[in-house]
Amino acid sequence: MPARVPEPLRVLVEQMARLPGLGPKSAMRVAMTLLKWPEAETRRLGQNIHGLRDSLHLCGRCGGLSATDPCAICADGARSRDTLCLVTEWDSMLTLEEGGFYRGQYLILGGLLGPQEGAPDLERLERRLSEGEVSELILALGATVEAENTAAYVREMVRRRFPDLRVSRLAQGIPLGAEVKYMDRETLRQSLRFRQEL
């Protein structure tokens, strides 16, 4: 960044450039836009950012971000209590919710089994399953190697501790509108392995 950029602006741009999707040039454009906003609007934005950690916390039931405990999804009495969808992160839950086609409960794992992370903490999951309401655990962890390892790890724990519980996973394979000839090997392998009877 040029030396003639004032120090407060340079510090802000460097901080914003660490956000996903923002490089130094985009961060500079955002900072310049903020300088054009009315002062009250930029102060309100700063206060909202400052208060974000104070006003949000993790739901004690599902582990999702919420302003209340339990969150609105866990508190919704109209949702099915017999299915529990296990997702890696909170934004995965939001994506499923946007579709409006799943009306059960969720649990956020908070990470996957990987070389640096080690085994995920399954204490919250074990507590939920111990309540006895859940008859099916749906694994919605993705299709990476880490997700596959985590699914196997969770499946083994469930098999040992809750042998009567059904464990399912999201279907994997060729997306709608795609052709077989353009698919990679792993997608084809998953498609063949999880094929459906017609």
Side-chain angles (χ1 to χ4, degrees):
M1 185 166 304
R4 61 187 176 275
V5 174
E7 180 71 10
L9 181 58
R10 185 187 59 73
V11 169
L12 177 64
V13 168
E14 287 174 358
Q15 282 185 307
M16 288 192 306
R18 295 194 320 240
L19 293 170
L22 284 183
K25 287 183 180 182
S26 297
M28 179 60 89
R29 281 194 299 273
V30 170
M32 296 308 293
T33 300
L34 291 174
L35 288 172
K36 293 175 186 173
W37 282 10
E39 183 180 345
E41 192 69 21
T42 55
R43 289 195 185 281
R44 188 168 37 254
L45 174 65
Q47 289 167 347
N48 287 337
I49 292 171
H50 179 74
L52 190 62
R53 288 191 177 266
D54 294 332
S55 58
L56 288 179
H57 55 273
L58 296 180
C59 172
R61 191 138 174 84
C62 72
L65 284 174
S66 178
T68 61
D69 192 13
C71 70
I73 292 172
C74 290
D76 185 350
R79 296 186 80 99
S80 172
R81 301 272 181 206
D82 63 343
T83 58
L84 182 66
C85 186
L86 186 65
V87 295
T88 308
E89 299 291 343
W90 181 67
D91 51 358
S92 297
M93 181 183 86
L94 290 180
T95 301
L96 285 165
E97 274 301 290
E98 284 174 9
F101 37 77
Y102 176 70
R103 295 292 300 155
Q105 300 290 304
Y106 292 96
L107 192 127
I108 290 107
L109 193 54
L112 295 172
L113 181 62
Q116 276 106 15
E117 295 82 23
D121 180 14
L122 300 180
E123 186 178 321
R124 180 181 282 131
L125 175 61
E126 290 185 49
R127 276 197 318 267
R128 286 289 293 275
L129 298 179
S130 294
E131 293 172 2
E133 288 183 324
V134 176
S135 61
E136 180 182 5
L137 177 64
I138 303 166
L139 303 180
L141 303 175
T144 64
V145 171
E146 291 84 4
E148 292 293 321
N149 291 339
T150 304
Y153 185 82
V154 169
R155 193 171 42 247
E156 185 55 37
M157 181 278 292
V158 170
R159 203 172 276 147
R160 259 191 344 268
R161 299 262 342 264
F162 308 95
D164 296 333
L165 189 70
R166 178 178 179 225
V167 179
S168 63
R169 66 182 306 158
L170 296 183
Q172 299 177 14
I174 301 171
L176 284 174
E179 293 185 48
V180 171
K181 64 184 175 184
Y182 298 122
M183 292 299 105
D184 62 275
R185 244 186 219 160
E186 184 57 24
T187 300
L188 288 173
R189 188 183 76 74
Q190 295 283 357
S191 298
L192 192 57
R193 181 175 174 208
F194 297 107
R195 64 189 181 275
Q196 299 173 350
E197 192 171 322
L198 296 177

